[in-house]
Amino acid sequence: MIRVMLVDDEPFILEGLSVLIDWEKYDCMIVAKASNGEEAFEYLKQGDIDLVITDIKMPVMTGMELLQTAREEGLSSAYFVILSGYNDFQYAQTAIKYEALDYLLKPVSADGLIEVIEKVKNKKKAAQGGDLADYEKKDKSEAATALFKDELDGMTSGIEHNDKDVINKNIDELFIKMGGDGTALSKKALDVNKNYLVFRLLHLAVELDKTIDQEVVMMYISDNILMSGTEMGTILHLKQFASEYAGYLASLRGTVSKGVLHDIEKELDVNYAQNITLKDFAAKYYVNSSYLGQLFRKQYGMSFREYLNMVRINKAATMLIKTDEKIGRIAEEVGYHDTDYFINKFISIKGCTPSKYRKNGNGQTEV
């Protein structure tokens, strides 16, 4: 049996990997889990590990540093698989240099893990000149037996297809098996179920749009699954969240992928003077406001509020050149009710006062 160690600083990913496949079915046994490279390094000193699956970016010691140290010190001959985010492929060459077995892109799929296991089996057979030794299978852990996988998978499927009936049916069955709000479960069992659900839901979002900020979406999911930090919350609360998340995924398939930022840009070009906020647009386009804020900063290099100020000041600059209206009136027309605040914003963006801008633009001075 292949002895596996999982290493990741995100608990939901650690637990998600633990239950993504039936490890025993593929002659594997998870013997250790670590939250950073240093912790994993200590496990490597203590035990016989065949396969290390590790995230690349972690506090204390990164996955790459763990691989490098293990190889340079001759600590372990375990096969290493490096897990990476979307923009980390520059590290692939280093991973290859230190003989990593594979380099997988997050979110990891079940097929990806199975393929890695097959690679390890083939290499071990080649090294041993025969079949792998068959270890005695152990009973599944409390965490595994307490996972309500069928209900959570059913709920996830309902969310993916935006099927309210399937969502509600599986949530009802989940709460029956949990005995209510989950307080009858051990903390470990509750964490396993919560982390598995976070893992599956985040995976759905990333499959639709790999540019999303995974940390923001993960926090959004986690904050809505739990009510008090230790309970699963009420049935109604979970059903409401599931419905909202189904809508969020639908928005990724449709509005976001077709250019929600372009739509917002056009609307701001017309309605810039209104008291409009990022949350207003998030509600209108059915997008999580934190995620929309991340999209804005990634696209324009500034926050939504900074972008709105830029649009307003540009409109004011045009009015200063093309009209004789007083500065106070122009400030109001572009959405500022405090003239001094408008002037300060104008200076920060245009580098001069509105009066000087007008004078330099058409030779007129402000009265």
Side-chain angles (χ1 to χ4, degrees), residues 308-324:
L308 178 58
N309 279 320
M310 182 186 71
V311 171
R312 287 174 170 175
I313 295 302
N314 285 338
K315 295 292 183 180
T318 300
M319 294 173 69
L320 285 167
I321 299 300
K322 293 187 176 182
T323 74
D324 295 322

